[in-house]
Amino acid sequence: TIATEHLDQGWQYTLCIPRRTVRLRLACVWPLLFAAKTLRQVRAAVDAPPQHSTVKISRKDVYATMLLSGIAIMSNTLLTAYYEHGSD
């Protein structure tokens, strides 16, 4: 989808930010990861019968994403693996 393509472009931009600027990288990584998780839930909701009108990630997912990305922030490889697979 167009939204996924835009997220991927934002992700590539974020990976170009120097690793030593941890707070700047996190400020870019977190919204992208949250958006990717939300889009996955939207796709799942389209395939499933409608139960709720609101699709959003849980607070637990937000905290887990912040923790895991904070650990992996210095590695583009780990971050990308989490973005592509670990955030399901």
Side-chain angles (χ1 to χ4, degrees):
T1 65
I2 293 173
T4 304
E5 290 174 18
H6 289 179
L7 285 176
D8 290 342
Q9 291 172 3
W11 189 258
Q12 292 305 314
Y13 172 83
T14 299
L15 294 180
C16 293
I17 297 171
R19 291 183 182 119
R20 68 183 181 280
T21 57
V22 172
R23 290 174 15 183
L24 178 60
R25 280 173 65 105
L26 286 172
C28 293
V29 164
W30 287 339
L32 291 169
L33 290 173
F34 299 150
K37 283 178 179 264
T38 303
L39 278 177
R40 286 183 182 101
Q41 287 188 1
V42 167
R43 283 190 213 109
V46 168
D47 296 335
Q51 297 174 349
H52 302 287
S53 61
T54 304
V55 175
K56 63 181 188 175
I57 59 175
S58 69
R59 186 171 291 165
K60 176 184 169 190
D61 282 340
V62 170
Y63 293 141
T65 298
M66 292 173 74
L67 175 68
L68 294 173
S69 60
I71 293 170
I73 195 65
M74 298 298 280
S75 169
N76 287 349
T77 304
L78 288 175
L79 277 176
T80 300
Y82 184 65
Y83 174 71
E84 293 175 351
H85 304 290
S87 58
D88 288 335

